[in-house]
Amino acid sequence: MDGSHRRAGILLGTVGTALAVAGPVMLWRGSRGKNEIRGELAAQKITFPDRGLPAELAPHAGRRVETGPDAHAYAEFIKGNIAHTTGGRTYSELSAELHAAGDDEKLAELRQTAFMGQSLRASLMSAYQAWHLTTLVTGLGAALTGLGVALVATADALAPRSSRRS
């Protein structure tokens, strides 16, 4: 075997080993991240109402929010409630109306309701996005583990026969 094959085998083995080590770390971090998200969502004790949900959210009736997809569904529920309560106006639009109207207590309360609803919705959407990120990390971890093992096996196949014997 010439020197270029030997160097290629060493390079493949080194990169493969690095990937085979990094992959499981990513799998572990992705799994741990999902568990952290579940724990945080469960601690909030958010439960969908038993009745009165829009048709697309009806399957969630009475269930607790414990996963990223649950958080997204509840954020959509809040979005509908905010739109209903504010007549479709956003916090920013209500603020502009309040500044133009002067001292309007009812409009100020409506703006506060919009603010609180949007804040909770943003937190739930962050949990949903983090859920997707942990899924991506877990998938990449699995892919890197497989690629690392394949590269190590290829490096072993390229190794001279005399160095393969124990």
Side-chain angles (χ1 to χ4, degrees):
M1 174 180 272
D2 67 9
S4 63
H5 280 118
R6 187 172 295 120
R7 284 190 301 274
I10 291 170
L11 179 62
L12 285 174
T14 302
V15 171
T17 300
L19 293 177
V21 169
V25 170
M26 291 177 75
L27 285 164
W28 175 72
R29 285 301 302 145
S31 175
R32 190 156 180 236
K34 273 203 173 153
N35 288 338
E36 289 174 17
I37 295 166
R38 274 191 180 100
E40 288 298 319
L41 288 171
Q44 297 303 312
K45 299 179 182 172
I46 301 169
T47 303
F48 285 91
D50 290 324
R51 309 182 280 301
L53 290 171
E56 66 272 9
L57 296 177
H60 295 280
R63 288 186 33 210
R64 289 189 108 175
V65 174
E66 295 180 346
T67 67
D70 291 343
H72 182 262
Y74 204 88
E76 291 302 302
F77 174 61
I78 291 170
K79 180 181 177 182
N81 286 341
I82 294 169
H84 176 73
T85 303
T86 64
R89 295 172 289 179
T90 65
Y91 170 81
S92 179
E93 292 168 329
L94 290 167
S95 292
E97 285 180 40
L98 184 60
H99 289 299
D103 191 24
D104 183 332
E105 190 175 317
K106 188 171 182 171
L107 196 54
E109 288 175 10
L110 192 57
R111 180 181 73 161
Q112 182 65 22
T113 298
F115 176 78
M116 289 187 304
Q118 287 296 341
S119 295
L120 178 55
R121 186 170 187 277
S123 293
L124 290 166
M125 290 302 290
S126 292
Y128 177 61
Q129 292 166 349
W131 187 269
H132 279 296
L133 188 58
T134 60
T135 301
L136 176 64
V137 167
T138 301
L140 287 173
L144 291 180
T145 300
L147 180 59
V149 169
L151 290 176
V152 168
T154 302
D156 185 55
L158 290 175
R161 297 231 184 258
S162 62
S163 66
R164 279 197 234 168
R165 284 192 245 156
S166 302

